[in-house]
Amino acid sequence: MYSDLGFSTSPYSINFKSATTPITKLKYRNNLGVVMGFGGSYKWFAVRLAFALTKNLKPVSKYGKTSYIDIGLDFPIKKMYFEFDFRNYKGYSIKNAVVYNSSFGGDNTNEIRTNASTLSIALNGWYFHNKDFKMPPMKGKVGHFNRQVITWYLKNTINVQGIGDVESIIPIELTDSLNTKTKATTISSFDFGSIPGIGYANKYKNWQYAGMFGFGPVIQSKFYIVNETTRGFFGLAPRYDLRLIAGYNVPKWFVMLSTEFDNKSIHFNELKYKNNNYTVRLLAGIRLDKKEKTKEKKEKKIKIF
């Protein structure tokens, strides 16, 4: 059984070309919230419930309000480990909007976009070549490593992702009639593929540290919507997989710092969208061991016979 404290965020940026402005990049930021969770794991079954301690850490007057929906499921099957994630964040601000609109001056240089949102639906499955490399002990929730373990892996991934707004995603002051993509109200994609990577875990005394890194292309079908007209394209997109976990881990209890990074990107001619999702959590928990009860049962059997 464990508790965790941390945050997840999903900032994104758009690079574009427009004949009406020299500006080529916009940065969109959501307002961070601190989340506390409680959960437990037993063999293949795991459950976690979470609630927001603070919905928005940054000043609402400068960064607006962001609402969060996060749903996640994970479970291991032999050498495979599966995760399902649903993320929907609504409410963003464009940093330094004063460079294209002087009305955003003074104390607030950002433009608040209350209807701007990001969506990510992902199903991931990792195949680990070394059967001793397992994700639950790596996270510290179930068991711990007592020696060095190295493996190569394949991350099989299916993703639906995108951004949207009720008006053009790029502010109207920066849109270009010759580059209709700058007037898009929705940018989205469906992609799938297998990403190769390396996993490593080790322990020094009672300190455990582990990491995973993978990189590779996925097949992507991408779309954008302008004036209720959808245009689609087909191509490849780069993806990386990065996780770093470290902490104090003994048989009875553990304290681990977990960081996860996941990038999303959609590239069109004269417009590029990049979304970097990352999660940082501090986990602390205890393990309920049945070893002593098992010993008692064995002693009773010996006495009977």
Side-chain angles (χ1 to χ4, degrees):
M1 302 182 68
Y2 69 92
S3 177
D4 61 71
L5 182 69
F7 65 89
S8 296
T9 186
S10 183
Y12 65 91
S13 63
I14 297 179
N15 292 68
F16 63 99
K17 290 184 178 180
S18 174
T20 62
T21 176
I23 298 171
T24 60
K25 184 175 182 179
L26 294 174
K27 296 180 179 180
Y28 296 72
R29 298 293 183 264
N30 57 294
N31 204 332
L32 292 175
V34 177
V35 175
M36 173 168 276
F38 297 92
S41 300
Y42 180 71
K43 294 184 177 180
W44 60 269
F45 178 77
V47 63
R48 175 179 176 268
L49 300 175
F51 62 93
L53 284 180
T54 304
K55 291 185 177 180
N56 296 281
L57 282 177
K58 298 178 181 179
V60 175
S61 60
K62 293 184 179 180
Y63 295 93
K65 295 181 179 180
T66 302
S67 59
Y68 302 84
I69 299 177
D70 279 316
I71 300 173
L73 300 172
D74 59 86
F75 55 92
I77 299 178
K78 295 183 179 180
K79 289 186 177 182
M80 295 286 293
Y81 183 81
F82 295 91
E83 281 187 356
F84 170 80
D85 285 310
F86 177 93
R87 296 185 181 186
N88 181 213
Y89 296 174
K90 184 177 181 181
Y92 279 79
S93 63
I94 303 176
K95 292 189 66 176
N96 299 321
V98 68
V99 298
Y100 61 82
N101 190 331
S102 59
S103 64
F104 297 106
D107 294 333
N108 185 17
T109 59
N110 301 333
E111 179 181 351
I112 298 173
R113 307 290 292 256
T114 57
N115 293 307
S117 63
T118 59
L119 174 67
S120 175
I121 305 173
L123 177 62
N124 300 314
W126 288 264
Y127 169 81
F128 300 108
H129 179 68
N130 189 338
K131 66 178 181 180
D132 292 328
F133 191 94
K134 299 182 183 297
M135 193 79 83
M138 176 182 165
K139 293 182 176 181
K141 297 178 183 177
V142 179
H144 61 95
F145 290 95
N146 54 25
R147 62 178 177 84
Q148 176 180 277
V149 180
I150 304 175
T151 186
W152 62 264
Y153 68 84
L154 282 178
K155 177 186 177 182
N156 303 298
T157 180
I158 300 174
N159 290 273
V160 176
Q161 52 138 343
I163 54 176
D165 204 333
V166 295
E167 52 187 324
S168 62
I169 297 170
I170 296 174
I172 192 67
E173 299 95 326
L174 305 178
T175 58
D176 182 1
S177 58
L178 298 178
N179 183 6
T180 57
K181 290 181 284 293
T182 60
K183 298 183 178 182
T185 55
T186 301
I187 299 173
S188 61
S189 73
F190 169 78
D191 51 58
F192 63 93
S194 295
I195 302 171
I198 296 292
Y200 177 84
N202 206 346
K203 194 174 185 182
Y204 176 73
K205 294 184 178 180
N206 291 323
W207 294 92
Q208 178 177 301
Y209 49 93
M212 294 169 56
F213 176 74
F215 179 80
V218 295
I219 299 172
Q220 185 179 77
S221 180
K222 48 194 175 183
F223 312 88
Y224 68 89
I225 299 176
V226 177
N227 297 326
E228 300 182 355
T229 300
T230 303
R231 294 178 174 86
F233 303 87
F234 192 75
L236 297 176
R239 290 287 183 271
Y240 68 79
D241 179 37
L242 177 60
R243 298 188 178 208
L244 300 172
I245 301 173
Y248 196 81
N249 196 343
V250 293
K252 292 293 184 180
W253 58 276
F254 65 92
V255 178
M256 305 287 286
L257 180 64
S258 172
T259 58
E260 300 178 11
F261 303 87
D262 182 27
N263 77 312
K264 311 283 187 182
S265 62
I266 304 174
H267 291 190
F268 297 102
N269 185 30
E270 298 185 332
L271 189 144
K272 297 179 181 180
Y273 156 73
K274 293 182 180 180
N275 179 210
N276 293 309
N277 297 280
Y278 56 94
T279 300
V280 179
R281 285 178 186 159
L282 181 66
L283 301 93
I286 59 173
R287 301 189 182 93
L288 308 178
D289 196 354
K290 292 186 177 182
K291 188 181 292 185
E292 296 300 326
K293 293 183 179 180
T294 303
K295 288 181 179 179
E296 291 177 3
K297 288 181 180 180
K298 287 183 178 179
E299 290 175 357
K300 289 181 179 180
K301 286 184 179 180
I302 292 172
K303 290 179 181 179
I304 292 172
F305 288 104

